[in-house]
PDB file of all heavy atoms in Angstrom:
ATOM      1  N   ARG A  30     -15.732  30.928  -0.274  1.00 96.00           N
ATOM      2  CA  ARG A  30     -15.438  32.200  -0.942  1.00 96.00           C
ATOM      3  C   ARG A  30     -14.524  33.067  -0.072  1.00 96.00           C
ATOM      4  O   ARG A  30     -13.719  33.834  -0.580  1.00 96.00           O
ATOM      5  CB  ARG A  30     -16.741  32.936  -1.239  1.00 96.00           C
ATOM      6  CG  ARG A  30     -16.573  34.204  -2.031  1.00 96.00           C
ATOM      7  CD  ARG A  30     -17.903  34.841  -2.370  1.00 96.00           C
ATOM      8  NE  ARG A  30     -18.538  34.112  -3.468  1.00 96.00           N
ATOM      9  CZ  ARG A  30     -19.714  33.480  -3.381  1.00 96.00           C
ATOM     10  NH1 ARG A  30     -20.396  33.500  -2.259  1.00 96.00           N
ATOM     11  NH2 ARG A  30     -20.218  32.847  -4.413  1.00 96.00           N
ATOM     12  N   TYR A  32     -12.182  31.935   2.330  1.00 95.00           N
ATOM     13  CA  TYR A  32     -10.860  31.423   2.681  1.00 95.00           C
ATOM     14  C   TYR A  32     -10.184  30.625   1.561  1.00 95.00           C
ATOM     15  O   TYR A  32      -9.006  30.311   1.657  1.00 95.00           O
ATOM     16  CB  TYR A  32     -10.913  30.560   3.949  1.00 95.00           C
ATOM     17  CG  TYR A  32     -11.590  29.214   3.778  1.00 95.00           C
ATOM     18  CD1 TYR A  32     -10.886  28.111   3.308  1.00 95.00           C
ATOM     19  CD2 TYR A  32     -12.931  29.048   4.088  1.00 95.00           C
ATOM     20  CE1 TYR A  32     -11.518  26.887   3.147  1.00 95.00           C
ATOM     21  CE2 TYR A  32     -13.545  27.825   3.933  1.00 95.00           C
ATOM     22  CZ  TYR A  32     -12.837  26.751   3.457  1.00 95.00           C
ATOM     23  OH  TYR A  32     -13.448  25.536   3.301  1.00 95.00           O
ATOM     24  N   GLU A  39     -19.479  24.472  -5.214  1.00 98.00           N
ATOM     25  CA  GLU A  39     -20.841  24.096  -5.594  1.00 98.00           C
ATOM     26  C   GLU A  39     -20.950  22.584  -5.638  1.00 98.00           C
ATOM     27  O   GLU A  39     -20.133  21.918  -6.278  1.00 98.00           O
ATOM     28  CB  GLU A  39     -21.179  24.627  -6.990  1.00 98.00           C
ATOM     29  CG  GLU A  39     -21.116  26.110  -7.137  1.00 98.00           C
ATOM     30  CD  GLU A  39     -21.248  26.548  -8.599  1.00 98.00           C
ATOM     31  OE1 GLU A  39     -21.414  25.685  -9.491  1.00 98.00           O
ATOM     32  OE2 GLU A  39     -21.173  27.759  -8.842  1.00 98.00           O
ATOM     33  N   GLU A  62     -15.788  15.151  -8.505  1.00 98.00           N
ATOM     34  CA  GLU A  62     -17.006  14.371  -8.273  1.00 98.00           C
ATOM     35  C   GLU A  62     -16.999  13.877  -6.833  1.00 98.00           C
ATOM     36  O   GLU A  62     -15.967  13.398  -6.337  1.00 98.00           O
ATOM     37  CB  GLU A  62     -17.028  13.178  -9.221  1.00 98.00           C
ATOM     38  CG  GLU A  62     -18.217  12.267  -9.041  1.00 98.00           C
ATOM     39  CD  GLU A  62     -18.154  11.066  -9.963  1.00 98.00           C
ATOM     40  OE1 GLU A  62     -17.784  11.220 -11.143  1.00 98.00           O
ATOM     41  OE2 GLU A  62     -18.477   9.958  -9.485  1.00 98.00           O
ATOM     42  N   GLU A  82      -4.803  24.781 -18.895  1.00 90.00           N
ATOM     43  CA  GLU A  82      -5.004  23.699 -19.868  1.00 90.00           C
ATOM     44  C   GLU A  82      -4.077  22.507 -19.629  1.00 90.00           C
ATOM     45  O   GLU A  82      -4.507  21.354 -19.688  1.00 90.00           O
ATOM     46  CB  GLU A  82      -4.801  24.250 -21.279  1.00 90.00           C
ATOM     47  CG  GLU A  82      -5.223  23.300 -22.362  1.00 90.00           C
ATOM     48  CD  GLU A  82      -5.115  23.944 -23.731  1.00 90.00           C
ATOM     49  OE1 GLU A  82      -5.638  25.059 -23.907  1.00 90.00           O
ATOM     50  OE2 GLU A  82      -4.505  23.312 -24.613  1.00 90.00           O
ATOM     51  N   ARG A  91      -7.432  12.840  -5.695  1.00 97.00           N
ATOM     52  CA  ARG A  91      -8.508  12.692  -4.706  1.00 97.00           C
ATOM     53  C   ARG A  91      -8.168  13.487  -3.451  1.00 97.00           C
ATOM     54  O   ARG A  91      -7.029  13.504  -3.000  1.00 97.00           O
ATOM     55  CB  ARG A  91      -8.662  11.210  -4.352  1.00 97.00           C
ATOM     56  CG  ARG A  91      -9.741  10.925  -3.318  1.00 97.00           C
ATOM     57  CD  ARG A  91      -9.828   9.457  -3.015  1.00 97.00           C
ATOM     58  NE  ARG A  91      -8.599   9.007  -2.357  1.00 97.00           N
ATOM     59  CZ  ARG A  91      -8.396   7.763  -1.934  1.00 97.00           C
ATOM     60  NH1 ARG A  91      -9.311   6.843  -2.131  1.00 97.00           N
ATOM     61  NH2 ARG A  91      -7.259   7.444  -1.340  1.00 97.00           N
ATOM     62  N   GLY A 100     -13.104  17.041  22.172  1.00 95.00           N
ATOM     63  CA  GLY A 100     -13.517  17.982  23.211  1.00 95.00           C
ATOM     64  C   GLY A 100     -14.189  19.182  22.577  1.00 95.00           C
ATOM     65  O   GLY A 100     -15.086  19.026  21.744  1.00 95.00           O
ATOM     66  N   PRO A 114       1.981   9.826 -11.792  1.00 90.00           N
ATOM     67  CA  PRO A 114       3.438   9.914 -11.614  1.00 90.00           C
ATOM     68  C   PRO A 114       3.940  11.217 -12.253  1.00 90.00           C
ATOM     69  O   PRO A 114       3.440  11.636 -13.290  1.00 90.00           O
ATOM     70  CB  PRO A 114       3.969   8.694 -12.386  1.00 90.00           C
ATOM     71  CG  PRO A 114       2.803   7.743 -12.439  1.00 90.00           C
ATOM     72  CD  PRO A 114       1.561   8.614 -12.494  1.00 90.00           C
ATOM     73  N   ARG A 117       2.317  17.517 -12.017  1.00 91.00           N
ATOM     74  CA  ARG A 117       2.570  18.943 -11.804  1.00 91.00           C
ATOM     75  C   ARG A 117       1.589  19.504 -10.782  1.00 91.00           C
ATOM     76  O   ARG A 117       1.819  20.564 -10.203  1.00 91.00           O
ATOM     77  CB  ARG A 117       2.443  19.700 -13.126  1.00 91.00           C
ATOM     78  CG  ARG A 117       3.590  19.380 -14.082  1.00 91.00           C
ATOM     79  CD  ARG A 117       3.505  20.148 -15.382  1.00 91.00           C
ATOM     80  NE  ARG A 117       3.364  21.572 -15.157  1.00 91.00           N
ATOM     81  CZ  ARG A 117       2.606  22.370 -15.926  1.00 91.00           C
ATOM     82  NH1 ARG A 117       1.942  21.893 -16.954  1.00 91.00           N
ATOM     83  NH2 ARG A 117       2.531  23.660 -15.668  1.00 91.00           N
ATOM     84  N   SER A 159       5.061  12.488   0.804  1.00 39.00           N
ATOM     85  CA  SER A 159       5.924  11.504   0.168  1.00 39.00           C
ATOM     86  C   SER A 159       5.802  11.649  -1.322  1.00 39.00           C
ATOM     87  O   SER A 159       4.817  12.143  -1.826  1.00 39.00           O
ATOM     88  CB  SER A 159       5.536  10.083   0.600  1.00 39.00           C
ATOM     89  OG  SER A 159       4.320   9.708   0.013  1.00 39.00           O
TER      90      SER A 159
END
Side-chain angles (χ1 to χ4, degrees):
R30 185 176 283 118
Y32 71 85
E39 300 171 1
E62 178 183 318
E82 191 175 309
R91 179 180 66 178
R117 290 182 52 217
S159 72

